[in-house]
Amino acid sequence: MSRTVSRFRVLFFGTGEFAVPSLQALVKDESFEVIAVVTQPDRPAGRHATVTPPPVKAAATALGMTDVKQPEKLAEPSFQDWIKHVGASCDAFVVVSYGKILPQWLLDLPKNGVINVHGSLLPRWRGPSPIQAAIAAGDAKSGVTIMQLDAQMDHGPVLALVETAIRPDDNAAALHDRLAELGALLLADTLSDYLDGRLEPVEQDHARATVCK
């Protein structure tokens, strides 16, 4: 794909390890200005229940980012005031492994919608555990979908897909890490082309959809 010299303003939502390569890719790409990160609050972890930041917060700190929001609820008035102020100036929001469903009022804020990196070949395996579901079902392949979020779970139109074979020795952890890297590689080019008007979303074949728990 051809690249653009435009600099797009992006707000990043992410929490888990799957999101870290995508955040790193956008921050390091000169086509984007990642203005802030929204992630979940620090939580107790491990045997001693030590309060620990989520992986995306740790990654943002390592990248030198200082504007990291951690609302317990997206409906918190202070968070709503902030995101409504910054959201109107964003070209897009990017969501990767955030762990919460975004309400419609938030989806409507950025100029070009909300883009999601999902760890399956949609419409197969909509839901929160697509990597584990693909392995449990004995699928021959998996992949990553870059899609535009709408009000329904993993239902929105597709911008790009990348496939990978599920290897005989793959477990969920190995496939997770490979898909996280593939998604990050695909995200920057796809998002740039979409925001430059060179890429049109394609509706999913909803009749073929499968759902994981």
Side-chain angles (χ1 to χ4, degrees), residues 74-75 80 100-109 114 150-151:
L74 297 174
Q80 284 198 36
K100 293 184 179 182
I101 295 174
L102 304 189
Q104 189 64 50
W105 65 263
L106 200 151
L107 297 177
D108 292 338
L109 288 177
V114 181
D150 63 14

Side-chain angles (χ1 to χ4, degrees), residues 146-174:
I146 311 294
M147 60 170 293
Q148 190 172 36
L149 287 182
D150 63 14
Q152 300 183 54
M153 183 177 63
D154 302 328
H155 174 275
V158 171
L159 297 175
L161 292 159
V162 61
E163 295 184 359
T164 184
I166 297 180
R167 302 165 184 165
D169 59 344
D170 268 337
N171 58 23

